[in-house]
Amino acid sequence: MLSAEESAYAQRVRELAQRELLPLVDKCDEGNVNRALLAKMGSRGLLRDLFGGLAEEHPTVAAAMRLCLLRETLAGVSTGAETALALQGLGSYPILQSGRRETVERWIPGVVRGTTVAAFALTEPEAGSDAAALALTAAPDGDGWRLRGEKMWISNAPEADVYTVFARTTPDAGARGVTAFAVAGNADGLSGEHLDLLSPHPIGQLHFDDVRVEPTDVLGEVDAGFKVAMRTLDLFRPSVGAFAVGMAQAALDVTLEHVANRHAYGAPLAAQQSIAHRLADLATQLEAARLLVYTAARAYDAGASRSEITRRAAMAKLFATEAAQIIVDQCVQLHGAYALRRGHLLEHLYRDVRAPRIYEGASEVQRSIISRELFRERATP
């Protein structure tokens, strides 16, 4: 399933996370950006590894596969560390992918060092999964634009140093009238506040009150921002599945330990056939999810067609996040009340596992994407 080089890379990440990242995870208030953690990730090269071709110790681990291994491995150690890394990548990848040279040079070095916090600002109060319905406007202002409107459910907001912002530059044009911009977190007219979620991580709402953006802030081409967003999501959606796989593996591992040592009616719980069979089913679901994630990553790295990449990314995210929800829930059930105590690993995972079925395209959206691509591929000679 993994090459020797890929396995060695994952092992290196696991050891580093356990030794250097885990002690920093709780040294920050829940719901705030953990800058010390990001700085440590930067100094140890993990943020550099977000971007394909920059890793030095394991250069043969390709970009999408490296991202998936990073997220899966970190999730098995700390969901807080995993989330911090993933948000940094999601927010900055459009800049690296589509930014002008001066824009890349302004922001990416700090992102890689962990001193610049990035955020991906797509969702709005009335435009979540329907990204083509974006209402935040970019009104012409000389040779630049003025941003007016709101963004909602933006991870790392309102603390980010740079936002990839998607705004409407052409009215009534749907997805064809959206442009991506790199916007400084301290820009005049930009404000925001934190939001409190079931599983706290830094997330908030942003308000744009005539925020000025320059021509050099455009990512890609004017009115082509939707392509910037989709290219980013095609890379990151399989890695959301990898995050889910990492959580599910952590849940299954702690549950195997529990049922092997917990006795009931004079024997370990693992001796009961109903429990053994349930664990077998959960392990099979987990393995299927992992294979879908790796297949999607390898398709991306191999340069498959855009349709295949999009379809496999959606399949990986859909199946892995849905499977992880089931696995974590069943592991809680097998632990009983032990898993409900605040601070238990499964109590933490039970809260964390819910959100990935919603963000970066809810499960229902992934099903629509898959069916669309199936018919598109069928129509291609």
Side-chain angles (χ1 to χ4, degrees):
M1 187 187 304
L2 294 180
S3 69
E5 188 81 358
E6 290 164 345
S7 295
Y9 178 73
Q11 183 61 28
R12 182 179 73 85
V13 171
R14 183 176 297 105
E15 292 172 355
L16 190 157
Q18 291 170 337
R19 183 178 66 251
E20 300 188 38
L21 302 185
L22 197 55
L24 295 173
V25 170
D26 294 328
K27 293 185 177 181
C28 178
D29 292 337
E30 283 190 332
N32 292 103
V33 173
N34 191 331
R35 289 183 178 267
L37 179 62
L38 283 174
K40 177 62 72 173
M41 288 181 174
S43 70
R44 303 300 287 151
L46 294 182
L47 298 177
R48 177 199 62 208
D49 287 3
L50 282 168
F51 307 114
L54 299 184
E56 297 174 357
E57 293 184 42
H58 299 276
T60 63
V61 182
M65 194 64 185
R66 181 185 301 117
L67 177 58
C68 287
L69 290 175
L70 265 172
R71 297 193 67 177
E72 178 187 347
T73 304
L74 287 179
V77 177
S78 165
T79 57
E82 188 285 332
T83 300
L85 176 133
L87 297 182
Q88 191 80 331
L90 182 65
S92 62
Y93 184 72
I95 298 173
L96 181 67
Q97 168 214 119
S98 302
R100 287 155 176 75
R101 180 177 179 179
E102 57 265 43
T103 308
V104 172
E105 291 176 348
R106 178 183 180 186
W107 297 115
I108 296 301
V111 169
V112 172
R113 289 192 302 269
T115 56
T116 297
V117 177
F120 186 82
L122 177 63
T123 305
E124 298 180 3
E126 301 300 326
S129 296
D130 184 9
L134 294 182
L136 187 144
T137 59
D141 180 49
D143 62 348
W145 294 264
R146 294 278 179 178
L147 303 183
R148 304 184 183 105
E150 294 184 346
K151 291 293 181 180
M152 190 77 165
W153 313 118
I154 306 305
S155 294
N156 281 346
E159 300 179 58
D161 300 307
V162 60
Y163 296 92
T164 294
V165 178
F166 297 86
R168 181 156 302 287
T169 39
T170 300
D172 304 319
R176 297 179 183 275
V178 172
T179 301
F181 300 92
V183 180
N186 62 357
D188 291 340
L190 177 59
S191 60
E193 60 271 348
H194 287 95
L195 298 171
D196 191 13
L197 268 66
L198 173 68
S199 180
H201 80 270
I203 192 167
Q205 185 170 7
L206 296 171
H207 310 281
F208 295 80
D209 184 10
D210 282 339
V211 175
R212 169 79 183 184
V213 286
E214 306 295 337
T216 53
D217 296 323
V218 173
L219 304 178
E221 302 298 326
V222 174
D223 284 346
F226 196 70
K227 292 180 180 178
V228 175
M230 291 305 104
R231 284 197 297 269
T232 301
L233 294 175
D234 278 346
L235 172 61
F236 275 83
R237 275 175 175 156
S239 76
V240 177
F243 174 36
V245 166
M247 285 191 285
Q249 185 68 66
L252 187 60
D253 287 345
V254 74
T255 303
L256 289 170
E257 180 72 17
H258 175 75
V259 300
N261 294 292
R262 177 80 162 94
H263 284 65
Y265 308 109
L269 288 177
Q272 297 184 25
Q273 188 182 68
S274 62
I275 289 177
H277 284 187
R278 187 183 306 184
L279 289 167
D281 287 341
L282 298 181
T284 301
Q285 283 184 287
L286 175 57
E287 191 71 359
R290 180 177 282 114
L291 287 170
L292 276 171
V293 168
Y294 290 179
T295 299
R298 294 197 193 285
Y300 185 99
D301 289 330
S305 69
R306 178 58 53 191
S307 179
E308 181 181 352
I309 289 172
T310 299
R311 172 174 57 80
R312 290 192 181 280
M315 286 178 168
K317 181 184 187 296
L318 170 65
F319 189 89
T321 57
E322 293 286 340
Q325 178 84 50
I326 294 169
I327 292 166
V328 172
D329 178 78
Q330 288 299 299
C331 287
V332 169
Q333 190 71 19
L334 290 172
H335 273 74
Y338 289 100
L340 302 180
R341 295 184 65 181
R342 180 72 66 176
H344 193 283
L345 172 63
L346 284 172
E347 179 269 336
H348 181 78
L349 291 174
Y350 194 72
R351 289 184 288 120
D352 274 355
V353 79
R354 187 60 184 85
R357 292 171 60 204
I358 297 174
Y359 63 64
E360 293 186 40
S363 291
E364 292 76 12
V365 172
Q366 303 310 316
R367 292 184 176 97
S368 295
I369 291 171
I370 293 164
S371 62
R372 181 194 69 201
E373 296 304 327
L374 287 174
F375 284 104
R376 177 176 293 174
E377 291 173 359
R378 182 176 183 271
T380 301

